[in-house]
Amino acid sequence: MLMDKFKNRYIVKGTIVAETPVHIGAGSESMDPVETDNAVIKDKDGKPYIPGSSLKGALRSWLETFLRGGGNKILGGKTPCLCVNSPCINDTEVKEIKKKFKNKEDSERLVADEIYKRLCIICKVFGSHCFTSKITINDCKLIGERAYIEKRDGVAIDRDTGTSSKNKKYDFEQVSAGTKFDFYMTADNLDSENEKILEVIIKILESGDFTVGGKTSVGLGRIRLYGTKIYRIDENSLENYLFNGLSDEMRWQYV
């Protein structure tokens, strides 16, 4: 199902709770000697948040691993591509498809249809270098006015010896366990196969076994989705949604 015409939209809302401390680094180091070496990312008001891009990337990575194992049974044995080393469709194939339909009527539509057919199940939902993503996850903003941010010491590990490196101590920030964030995700124009992926996403977020951010190997980053509400807007309910917003009649349940 392509994106040039509205068919449906799924909206997932809830609260993300840090089950363990969470560290998502700001990506830059301060030159101030009294500041933390590796601070958590914060918004313009100085509040920590979970970037939607980080959460989406972690979900995609988890799903790719899950579906290459026993998890692919829920999709009839279908497995995702290795998008970096062996993508389901490469630039050469895209050029060949464009050339094939160059002089055809409605060529852009034919090209898009052909590319979509060749995408793996994950690329169809999360997008690829030649196709837009169907899923959008907003930045998860802090619920409340303040968050407790802890500072921890860390020691760099020598990769050759597996022991701590001398004189390479550092400190980093982590958002404390129990911190709550707002969760809002949309998914557009899903077909029945795509819906299965959405169901798995919701299940893993609700399980409490999903991690995001850095230092997950030492127990950080485990989050859980609470109070999940899922809505489905289609062609019949679109007008009501646009003028009146979400309603209980639009709630979507899955088995």
Side-chain angles (χ1 to χ4, degrees):
M1 189 179 293
L2 302 183
M3 305 292 284
D4 62 340
K5 182 180 178 182
F6 177 84
K7 293 293 184 181
N8 55 59
R9 164 168 282 196
Y10 295 77
I11 297 175
V12 184
K13 304 173 67 177
T15 299
I16 290 286
V17 178
E19 299 287 285
T20 63
V22 175
H23 171 83
I24 299 180
S28 60
E29 295 183 359
S30 172
M31 300 301 291
D32 190 333
V34 301
E35 289 190 4
T36 305
D37 297 321
N38 196 347
V40 296
I41 192 167
K42 303 179 183 71
D43 63 18
K44 61 181 180 62
D45 298 316
K47 298 179 180 180
Y49 69 99
I50 301 175
S53 57
S54 296
L55 185 50
K56 184 178 175 181
L59 282 168
R60 177 170 188 154
S61 179
W62 185 91
L63 280 164
E64 287 173 343
T65 301
F66 175 72
L67 293 176
R68 290 192 193 106
N72 65 2
K73 294 178 181 178
I74 67 173
L75 296 170
K78 294 183 179 180
T79 56
C81 71
L82 299 170
C83 60
V84 176
N85 299 320
S86 182
C88 44
I89 186 169
N90 58 43
D91 291 336
T92 300
E93 291 172 314
V94 171
K95 290 179 181 178
E96 290 174 351
I97 293 170
K98 290 181 177 179
K99 183 178 179 180
K100 176 182 177 181
F101 295 108
K102 182 177 181 181
N103 298 318
K104 300 285 186 179
E105 185 178 350
D106 199 16
S107 61
E108 290 186 1
R109 173 72 184 190
L110 292 171
V111 168
D113 283 343
E114 184 66 24
I115 290 174
Y116 186 76
K117 289 177 184 177
R118 299 194 190 185
L119 296 179
C120 72
I121 181 60
I122 292 297
C123 287
K124 283 180 178 178
V125 175
F126 282 84
S128 69
H129 68 289
C130 59
F131 208 87
T132 188
S133 172
K134 293 186 176 184
I135 284 182
T136 300
I137 301 178
N138 290 3
D139 290 342
C140 301
K141 299 294 187 179
L142 179 71
I143 296 176
E145 291 301 315
R146 298 180 62 185
Y148 183 57
I149 298 178
E150 305 160 331
K151 184 183 290 187
R152 286 184 59 178
D153 292 327
V155 178
I157 301 298
D158 188 306
R159 294 189 177 184
D160 294 327
T161 65
T163 60
S164 59
S165 299
K166 293 181 178 180
N167 302 319
K168 288 189 178 180
K169 289 186 177 181
Y170 64 94
D171 55 20
F172 63 91
E173 289 183 339
Q174 60 184 27
V175 180
S176 64
T179 305
K180 298 179 179 180
F181 302 88
D182 184 58
F183 179 79
Y184 189 94
M185 176 176 72
T186 61
D188 293 317
N189 288 358
L190 301 189
D191 57 28
S192 57
E193 189 177 64
N194 301 156
E195 283 181 353
K196 289 291 185 182
I197 295 296
L198 180 61
E199 292 173 17
V200 174
I201 288 173
I202 296 168
K203 285 294 186 183
I204 186 58
L205 286 174
E206 290 179 332
S207 72
D209 290 328
F210 183 74
T211 57
V212 67
K215 307 187 185 303
T216 56
S217 63
V218 294
L220 271 61
R222 188 160 58 86
I223 60 173
R224 175 175 286 180
L225 178 63
Y226 289 90
T228 311
K229 293 182 179 180
I230 312 166
Y231 302 86
R232 186 183 189 275
I233 299 98
D234 57 23
E235 294 164 302
N236 297 322
S237 57
L238 179 59
E239 183 177 354
N240 187 31
Y241 165 65
L242 292 175
F243 287 97
N244 301 306
L246 297 172
S247 65
D248 287 339
E249 289 74 20
M250 300 172 191
R251 291 286 291 271
W252 182 66
Q253 301 290 334
Y254 60 90
V255 179

